[in-house]
Amino acid sequence: MEPQPSLKKKTIGGLLWSFGDLIGNQGIQFLIQIILARLLLPEHFGLIGMILVFIALSNSLVDSGFTQALIRERNASQTDYSTIFYFNLLISVLIYVILYAAAPSISRFFDEPQLVSLLRLLSIGIVINAFAIIPKAMFAKEVNFKAQAKINLSSSILSGVIAVVLAVAGYGVWSLVLRQLSMNAIQSLLFAISKKWIPSLVFSIASFKRLFGFGWKLLVSGLIDTFYTNVYFLIIGRQYSAAQLGYYTNASRFSEIISQNLAATILRVTYPVLSSIQDEHERLKQSYKSITKLAAFLIFPVMVGMAAVGEPLVMLVFGEKWLQMIPYFQLLSIAGMLYPILALDLSLLQVKGRSDLYLLLEIINKISLTILLFLAVWLELGVIGLITAAILNTYLEFFVNSHFSKREVSYPAKEKVRDLLPIYLLSFLMGAVVWMLGLLVDTTIVIQLLLQVTIGMLFYIAACRVANIAELKTVYGLILSLLKKVRER
């Protein structure tokens, strides 16, 4: 069953603005990251990487699963929003105090004295972020990504300029810290101004219990996922040098620009939309199936293509001092292929209110990852072994997630593999062509990269046309819709 026109229009509009946010915001952040990578040393990024896990876990704790609970709530009230706002703010302050006190111990763990002051300053951003959680949830609930795109773009540009000026002035790692802090502050301020929402002087125990009843499982699963997403920084920072962690940090961020950010873009649009049809089983299944196939069509070839052009891409973007990050970047790109599909499966469980299954899946998947990481460390396989463990675990997660999500929408792993396999195979075929072209072409890096990307795109489009991949027409329709809107203005 096709989505109703109003829902389809709402989804496409949200996707267009969300993709615009991705291209604009992430493009600016990527440009700033390149400039900073050329101005700073790998060790500077490594120092920030050592404390990322603590900042990420803290932000998950502050949110406490309430954002998803509020978005899913059909008729969230001012009392609901105010209650969650005060709770988030209180938790953020408590976490800051804990991190401030724990900073010396964390510094000793990594044997890096600088971490004390770095962590204490960077942790202020946790409190600042708490002020933006409710306005963000309101915008997401309304599927209003136009305002979010403008805010994110503005904060990226302003914080990026601040960071570059400080890096040029010789502030080193502090330019990275102040970049993050200024981004947090600008975002929170702009969200508050745009939404014009002010909390009421009320805290409802009933609201808290109702929302926390759904959100606490998402909180626990979010903490588990956040910890394991950042555990590589912890292991590499402890076992290896700050420079080695710096290579991994930039390789990770570089590869995630497409996979995780594109996944986040799709999820923040589709979650509120799918939540609105959560009780219409057949309609929900068809919408979920279409979104999954579209995500794979867009992300699979990009991630494989990035791995295929990894060497000239890293050389051109970061320069010769970052050569050691090339194999990390290539493997992380392959590891990120399935991330959007896995995230959609978990999002579906949230839509259906199955936060219990969401938590169970996180536990199962992270137990398997723990075993694989333990083997990689025990066998002394190095950073390459750690990333390989992540790749293997994504495939295990795919089948585990599919097994549980099929109960909610009758979309089993067998059917999902049948839908995604043609796109998967065509992506790797395109990657092989692009990689071999790089071996045969003897020219400058820029020309080589342009040839590889152009041939790769044309080959993938032609192959999809021959294989009659329906998503090619869908994307073509989205592009035409976007061009139509541009012309109308």
Side-chain angles (χ1 to χ4, degrees), residues 30-62:
F30 179 52
L31 179 61
I32 297 298
Q33 191 78 0
I34 293 171
I35 297 171
L36 292 174
R38 288 186 171 272
L39 291 172
L40 304 175
L41 299 173
E43 294 92 309
H44 294 142
F45 292 91
L47 287 170
I48 297 299
M50 289 176 184
I51 54 180
L52 277 180
V53 63
F54 304 102
I55 300 298
L57 283 171
S58 298
N59 283 323
S60 291
L61 272 171
V62 171

Side-chain angles (χ1 to χ4, degrees), residues 142-174:
E142 298 164 2
V143 198
N144 180 2
F145 296 100
K146 180 178 180 179
Q148 292 189 63
K150 292 178 179 179
I151 290 170
N152 290 334
L153 185 61
S154 300
S155 60
S156 292
I157 293 173
L158 292 173
S159 62
V161 170
I162 291 170
V164 171
V165 169
L166 290 172
V168 171
Y171 282 85
V173 68
W174 293 103

Side-chain angles (χ1 to χ4, degrees), residues 71-89:
I71 294 172
R72 188 178 180 275
E73 189 79 5
R74 288 183 182 271
N75 299 299
S77 65
Q78 172 70 1
T79 299
D80 293 332
Y81 288 125
S82 300
T83 298
I84 301 311
F85 171 78
Y86 290 122
F87 176 78
N88 289 341
L89 186 59

Side-chain angles (χ1 to χ4, degrees), residues 84-147:
I84 301 311
F85 171 78
Y86 290 122
F87 176 78
N88 289 341
L89 186 59
L90 175 62
I91 293 298
S92 69
V93 173
L94 289 175
I95 290 173
Y96 176 74
V97 172
I98 292 170
L99 286 178
Y100 188 94
S105 298
I106 294 171
S107 176
R108 285 192 295 271
F109 175 80
F110 289 108
D111 193 25
E112 286 288 350
Q114 269 188 284
L115 292 186
V116 175
S117 50
L118 289 173
L119 181 57
R120 285 176 172 173
L121 182 58
L122 195 57
S123 299
I124 296 174
I126 297 166
V127 180
I128 296 172
N129 282 339
F131 288 91
I133 289 176
I134 298 301
K136 282 183 181 179
M138 288 178 166
F139 279 128
K141 194 174 180 68
E142 298 164 2
V143 198
N144 180 2
F145 296 100
K146 180 178 180 179

Side-chain angles (χ1 to χ4, degrees), residues 451-471:
L451 279 173
Q452 286 179 290
V453 171
T454 303
I455 296 299
M457 288 176 61
L458 293 175
F459 181 89
Y460 182 70
I461 292 171
C464 286
R465 190 177 180 85
V466 171
N468 198 28
I469 302 296
E471 285 64 43

